[in-house]
Amino acid sequence: MSGTKPSQARTVGEALIDLLAANGVEVVFGIPGVHTVELYRGLAGSTIRHITPRHEQGAGFMADGYARVTGKPGVALVITGPGLTNTITAMAQARQDSVPMLVISGVNRRNSLGQGRGLLHELPDQSAMMKSFALASHTLVDPAELSAVIAQAFAIMGSSRPGPVHIEVPTDVMPLPAGDVALRPTVPARPGADAATLERLAALCDGATRSVILCGGGAVSAGAAITALAEKLDAPVVLTTNARGLLARHPLRVPASPSLAAARTLIAEADLVIALGTEMGQTDYDMYADGAFPALMNFVRIDIDALQLSRAPRADLAVLSTVEAVVAALLPRLTARIGNGAARAKSAREAAWNGLSAKIRTEIEIIDSIYLALPDAIIVGDSTQPVYAGNLYLDIDRPLSWFNAATGFGALGYGPPAAIGAAIGAPGRPVICLTGDGGFQFSLAELGSAVDAGAQVIFLVWNNDGYQEIENYMLECGIEPEGVKPSAPDFAAIAGAFGLPALRLADMAELGPALAAAAERKGPSLIEIHQTRTRGASAN
């Protein structure tokens, strides 16, 4: 709690921090300014750790990475105006990937809002801007509303599909007396299916002989139950990017993108398709935008978001519930079936792998070598070629150990700050930031943030001399490449300037020992791989 002040003597800024702590917040990411200093009055005496990025976009991405590995909302504190607009990209990524994020910003004094007086950091209507994409945005104009506003924010993030929530506090409200604030955590209310819906779902399951299960990021917390369901239905389980690691080494797993022909064939031949916690979005199901995802027979969607259930592809049965609740209630209603599931899954895995190019298989094997060297690693990716390859096919042993910004919103520069957030949220586990030379330059300064935070991050830079993926796409479209060769700095020299040990690999055989050595050190380090100059990095 904030110092030793009696509860009624606390300011709004101090009480807000105490309410965050009461809701389990242990870390916030932010850059202080004159529009948030009254929040920092409460922060300095609290139990909450503060991490300072080099840019507010980094604060948002750090909050994202932290939330993904902990399951708790990531929290960012930013100033009004440019601080908040800098954070919008990270919030949009969180919205697309269903990541709980609470962004608390300042805003100018109440009597100036909407007046256009040319105040520092003024926006015409900051809250209206945020309401266009945040799950909710609230302006705290009355101190008496503070407890309810914080409770509402945590209820929104915990009760339905997660995403970013914004609260703005006017500078003249922050220092006001907060009054008597009850420091109670918010208990979210989560939906569950009714008995009639469960019976209908059980009947569909018992009538099927070739079931397939699709798992998205909303399913990862129900791993054991999903394994039991897959075994009872004898159903292959297709894992999207954010679900990789479920059913680890299980014969029913299919760790291949449903954008691949082999996975689509498996799905098309099914007489029941059950989608668990997946948006069914383009970057997972139609990555190449060919419109060839198959029509589905007896399609069931289970999702926590009612609006998502109404979107295409339309379900024959839509179930509004958490995945955990439905699967736990469904299992006792089912009889075990034999659907040749293991053989169908094996065929899909092999066909998916064999359908990939030699270049992509080589890049996946490099990712595999990272997990071989550091089995407990979390790999946080940016938009770069090996990450695209891993999103197509990657077989790993633990959920929440592979995530990146090459899905959904697709923001470059995500990897470095998100990896720092992940390292803060999962101390003791090695975190690998897999980033390209182009994307790394979007957030290169966050190397300093990693040093300051003592974050155990290994920055693994895939250097292909520019935006190689975009260059290839231009060539495929018959467009002369332009703007795809930004010059790269000497990454090892920059790492050294920040005090990080750095190594350029001459041969991919050096990667395992280099990773093991980096994992033994305290704090961050950097390893650079060049696609053409590092032997074994490319099949070409």
Side-chain angles (χ1 to χ4, degrees):
M1 303 305 170
S2 298
T4 58
K5 286 186 179 181
S7 60
Q8 292 192 350
R10 287 178 300 200
T11 66
V12 168
E14 291 171 316
L16 186 151
I17 297 299
D18 286 345
L19 283 166
L20 293 181
N23 279 280
V25 175
E26 298 175 338
V27 182
V28 299
F29 305 90
I31 300 175
V34 296
H35 288 75
T36 54
V37 290
E38 285 297 335
L39 298 180
Y40 281 77
R41 187 188 301 278
L43 190 59
S46 76
T47 58
I48 297 175
R49 181 183 180 188
H50 183 273
I51 303 294
T52 306
R54 294 303 188 266
H55 190 280
E56 288 94 353
Q57 180 175 283
F61 285 147
M62 288 178 190
D64 178 302
Y66 177 88
R68 294 200 200 214
V69 301
T70 64
K72 300 190 297 185
V75 180
L77 297 182
V78 297
I79 63 167
T80 186
L84 186 58
T85 56
N86 283 343
T87 314
I88 283 176
T89 296
M91 295 177 71
Q93 183 77 44
R95 177 69 183 255
Q96 285 280 68
D97 279 358
S98 304
V99 177
M101 180 187 297
L102 177 59
V103 175
I104 300 171
S105 76
V107 71
N108 285 308
R109 63 181 185 267
R110 288 170 290 181
N111 66 2
S112 74
L113 298 181
Q115 299 300 310
R117 297 177 183 173
L119 272 65
L120 179 65
H121 303 327
E122 185 177 45
L123 285 166
D125 192 338
Q126 181 171 283
S127 185
M129 174 184 70
M130 301 307 293
K131 286 175 180 174
S132 69
F133 72 93
L135 296 179
S137 177
H138 186 91
T139 305
L140 182 71
V141 296
D142 184 350
E145 298 177 347
L146 176 61
S147 293
V149 169
I150 295 295
Q152 182 186 55
F154 279 91
I156 290 170
M157 292 184 291
S159 299
S160 184
R161 182 182 178 188
V165 173
H166 170 240
I167 298 171
E168 62 181 16
V169 187
T171 53
D172 61 329
V173 172
M174 290 182 194
L176 293 178
D180 192 8
V181 176
L183 301 176
R184 292 191 299 267
T186 302
V187 180
R190 297 165 72 80
D194 58 60
T197 300
L198 289 167
E199 290 301 332
R200 185 179 169 192
L201 177 53
L204 284 171
C205 292
D206 284 338
T209 59
R210 300 186 311 281
S211 300
V212 169
I213 297 171
L214 311 177
C215 282
V220 294
S221 60
I226 292 169
T227 300
L229 176 64
E231 290 173 346
K232 209 154 196 180
L233 298 179
D234 199 15
V237 180
V238 179
L239 304 170
T240 65
T241 295
N242 288 327
R244 298 289 168 78
L246 288 174
L247 280 86
R249 306 299 167 187
H250 196 287
L252 290 172
R253 79 199 184 285
V254 181
S257 169
S259 293
L260 295 176
R264 288 177 168 183
T265 298
L266 172 72
I267 295 165
E269 292 174 350
D271 58 2
L272 174 66
V273 177
I274 302 175
L276 303 177
T278 176
E279 184 185 28
M280 305 291 294
Q282 180 186 9
T283 52
D284 275 313
Y285 290 87
D286 194 15
M287 186 183 302
Y288 299 110
D290 58 14
F293 188 76
L296 305 175
M297 180 187 300
N298 291 327
F299 180 42
V300 177
R301 292 190 75 171
I302 298 169
D303 203 283
I304 200 171
D305 183 1
L307 187 59
Q308 195 61 42
L309 289 172
S310 70
R311 294 182 175 129
R314 294 294 296 275
D316 298 291
L317 177 61
V319 184
L320 180 64
S321 175
T322 64
V323 172
E324 297 95 321
V326 166
V327 176
L330 179 64
L331 284 169
R333 292 173 160 84
L334 299 179
T335 55
R337 311 198 62 75
I338 298 175
N340 201 27
R344 289 188 291 141
K346 182 174 185 287
S347 176
R349 288 196 303 271
E350 291 177 350
W353 177 257
N354 292 333
L356 299 172
S357 68
K359 174 183 179 298
I360 289 174
R361 288 200 300 267
T362 296
E363 290 164 0
I364 294 169
E365 287 165 351
I366 289 170
I367 298 169
D368 288 339
S369 71
I370 297 171
Y371 286 114
L372 183 64
L374 302 174
D376 200 31
I378 299 169
I379 300 181
V380 182
D382 216 308
S383 293
T384 191
Q385 287 185 318
V387 170
Y388 298 136
N391 286 350
L392 284 172
Y393 191 107
L394 189 64
D395 202 1
I396 60 177
D397 289 343
R398 186 169 172 174
L400 300 173
S401 296
W402 170 263
F403 58 87
N404 54 76
T407 62
F409 198 58
L412 273 171
Y414 169 89
I420 294 168
I424 299 299
R429 292 185 65 184
V431 175
I432 314 298
C433 170
L434 182 52
T435 184
D437 58 297
F440 196 15
Q441 292 182 72
F442 277 58
S443 50
L444 189 55
E446 300 300 353
L447 286 174
S449 306
V451 172
D452 291 347
Q456 192 77 14
V457 178
I458 303 169
F459 295 94
L460 188 58
V461 184
W462 181 265
N463 190 339
N464 55 22
D465 298 320
Y467 303 133
Q468 187 66 55
E469 193 73 13
I470 303 303
E471 181 176 354
N472 292 345
Y473 187 70
M474 284 180 159
L475 291 169
E476 289 169 6
C477 294
I479 298 169
E480 184 176 352
E482 183 65 53
V484 293
K485 291 293 186 184
S487 59
D490 185 328
F491 291 114
I494 288 180
F498 278 110
L500 278 71
L503 174 67
R504 291 191 184 93
L505 300 187
D507 193 298
M508 288 306 303
E510 301 169 0
L511 178 59
L515 289 169
E520 289 296 318
R521 303 187 192 103
K522 292 190 180 298
S525 54
L526 183 144
I527 299 171
E528 182 178 349
I529 299 169
H530 195 281
Q531 183 177 348
T532 58
R533 297 187 207 124
T534 301
R535 287 188 297 275
S538 176
N540 297 331

